[in-house]
Amino acid sequence: MGSALRRNAPMTKISSKSTFIYKRLFPILWFGFIAVFLAVALFSGAGQSDLLFLFVALGMGVFGFFLFRRLVWDLADEVLDAGDHLLVKRRGTEERIPIANIMNVSVSSYVNPIRVSLRLVKPGKLGSEVAFTPQAPFTLNPFAKNRVAEDLIVRVHRERTRGAP
């Protein structure tokens, strides 16, 4: 879709509806499982005689914490596309990001959930990089390109080269 057509278009949600599950529910399940695992091990007596249970649980907790911190907890809660700008919401903060302020769009491939990172020319309230999980149809093709990410890449490139000779 051309940017001229999208300027007057209503805001469209381009972030995944599953973001809440990735950011809130899955970490609760992960750390809850570890807590149940530890409780069963300690109350059954297995954890007292063998420290392996404690090390495995501790390792899973540390691994989960750093994994969630790096890949999930910094995701935007919601991203709306208004044509010439994106409206990004994260932890109660809302920021309007003009397409012209996006320096680079990168897409993480071969990971689930898909992650789109927007590097900004001028940092805003949400920092110099904003990441979100885009809407994506179900596909078994691991090499399929994400429509939302591809559209953003094209629009950012057009905006960047608009005044170029």
Side-chain angles (χ1 to χ4, degrees):
M1 286 186 234
S3 60
L5 295 174
R6 296 182 64 105
R7 281 208 174 117
N8 297 325
M11 286 197 199
T12 306
K13 183 174 180 177
I14 60 172
S15 57
S16 173
K17 296 173 185 170
S18 302
T19 302
F20 177 81
I21 293 170
Y22 297 132
K23 287 182 72 169
R24 305 285 189 273
L25 191 59
F26 190 65
I28 289 171
L29 291 173
W30 180 271
F31 293 113
F33 171 77
I34 293 170
V36 169
F37 178 78
L38 269 174
V40 168
L42 290 175
F43 289 123
S44 70
Q48 296 169 353
S49 62
D50 193 358
L51 291 178
L52 180 62
F53 282 107
L54 297 175
F55 287 126
V56 168
L58 181 64
M60 285 177 60
V62 169
F63 174 76
F65 174 78
F66 285 109
L67 184 73
F68 293 133
R69 192 172 115 199
R70 174 73 177 112
L71 297 176
V72 178
W73 286 331
D74 68 334
L75 292 173
D77 298 325
E78 185 178 44
V79 179
L80 302 169
D81 186 352
D84 62 343
H85 70 277
L86 302 176
L87 183 63
V88 180
K89 300 174 184 179
R90 186 173 74 202
R91 293 188 212 122
T93 303
E94 222 176 85
E95 183 172 4
R96 182 183 180 276
I97 300 174
I99 296 295
N101 190 34
I102 301 173
M103 178 189 316
N104 186 33
V105 178
S106 62
V107 184
S108 61
S109 302
Y110 316 116
V111 295
N112 192 12
I114 296 171
R115 181 183 171 92
V116 173
S117 297
L118 308 173
R119 171 76 90 184
L120 306 179
V121 175
K122 296 176 191 166
K125 293 184 264 185
L126 299 175
S128 61
E129 188 169 317
V130 175
F132 69 97
T133 300
Q135 291 184 356
F138 176 77
T139 179
L140 293 175
N141 180 2
F143 304 107
K145 293 184 179 184
N146 181 271
R147 179 188 50 80
V148 170
E150 291 297 313
D151 180 54
L152 279 174
I153 290 168
V154 168
R155 289 168 49 206
V156 166
H157 176 72
R158 276 194 200 129
E159 188 68 33
R160 188 181 312 139
T161 58
R162 181 183 304 221

